[in-house]
Amino acid sequence: MYVEFDSLGATLAGDVFEPEDYNGAAIVLCHGFGTDRTELYDLAESLHSEGFLVLAYDGRAHGGSGGTFRIDDMVEDVHAARRFLEDHYDVDRTGVFGHSLGGYLAVRAAVETEGFDATVSWATPISIREVLKDLQWNFEYMDWFVENYAESLHYPSYYRKMRIDDMGAFLGELYDRDQTRITETVSRPGAPQSTFIHGELDRVVGNRHAGEIGGALGNKGELVMEAGAGHSCLPTHTEPPFYLPEPDRPEARRRIIDTVVDRFKRYLTGG
């Protein structure tokens, strides 16, 4: 069912998957950078079939959602999605899942502000800046350029399913030297139960991110390394459509989806 909800002046678009045999637990799904909510439809269907109420939404400035790309605002948007479910349905416990950028947002939301009872994420980076540092051979030059010249870049642009209102402000968000690092948040007191999933073949968010997050996590959560899995396990991940129905879904993605469902059943329903 298509829904809209407001957060910090932006209207966000999403779909609610209402189960016939509801188990009392709700899940918010956060997609990755430049994609949209369809990236996680397969996970939404699997959770829905297990009795979970699910909201998959387009992130701020992505897909059908409004607003401007601001990372801290996007963290608050995760809670706006949670509140929408709690305001419209009888919810006992709530979890959040995120992939890649969505994992970064989901973990920050769950750890920094009360409201979520569990978080499961896949390909979660230490920060967006750290991903750029790994991927860009000219990172130091780009970092210098953004610091000195980004404020003069006021043109709009697009990247896949994402709208960029002001290129300079957008680059400033990505390269922000004060960007919150997941390694600084995961061990905070009161953090909810958590599982971090990482594909061993991930070439976007490299294994060092999983290693450093796992080291910071200690005994406050779980790190699952998935052999044979890449960043999304979707051959169409770089271009829409992002959703692959069965039987076209890669086996590695099936395994990760099964792990996500298993952990939410364990954390939220005692299953």
Side-chain angles (χ1 to χ4, degrees), residues 131 134-135 198-207 229-232:
V131 174
D134 290 346
L135 295 180
H198 193 88
E200 291 184 349
L201 303 182
D202 195 331
R203 299 293 182 263
V204 178
V205 179
N207 287 345
H231 186 63
S232 70

Side-chain angles (χ1 to χ4, degrees), residues 111-126:
V111 172
E112 294 174 8
T113 306
E114 293 183 358
F116 287 104
D117 300 292
T119 177
V120 181
S121 62
W122 174 16
T124 301
I126 296 168

Side-chain angles (χ1 to χ4, degrees), residues 132-229:
L132 296 175
K133 186 182 294 185
D134 290 346
L135 295 180
Q136 293 181 326
W137 64 269
N138 60 343
F139 173 80
E140 291 186 2
Y141 167 76
M142 286 297 300
D143 192 34
W144 170 85
F145 177 83
V146 170
E147 182 180 22
N148 290 278
Y149 294 102
E151 291 185 357
S152 64
L153 305 177
H154 297 302
Y155 60 88
S157 186
Y158 290 87
Y159 175 72
R160 291 172 11 194
K161 300 290 286 187
M162 179 172 59
R163 298 178 310 282
I164 301 169
D165 296 332
D166 183 292
M167 181 58 74
F170 173 71
L171 291 174
E173 285 287 308
L174 298 186
Y175 287 85
D176 181 9
R177 296 180 182 181
D178 296 323
Q179 208 173 87
T180 299
R181 295 165 61 93
I182 293 299
T183 48
E184 298 167 354
T185 66
V186 292
S187 60
R188 290 185 185 181
Q193 294 177 293
S194 61
T195 292
F196 290 80
I197 304 169
H198 193 88
E200 291 184 349
L201 303 182
D202 195 331
R203 299 293 182 263
V204 178
V205 179
N207 287 345
R208 83 167 180 95
H209 293 257
E212 292 186 29
I213 290 172
L217 195 59
N219 61 1
K220 293 183 176 293
E222 172 192 32
L223 173 64
V224 176
M225 297 297 294
E226 184 64 52

Side-chain angles (χ1 to χ4, degrees), residues 90-109:
D90 184 13
V91 176
D92 295 327
R93 293 172 66 79
T94 312
V96 58
F97 169 86
H99 172 252
S100 195
L101 168 63
Y104 175 82
L105 301 175
V107 172
R108 280 192 55 189

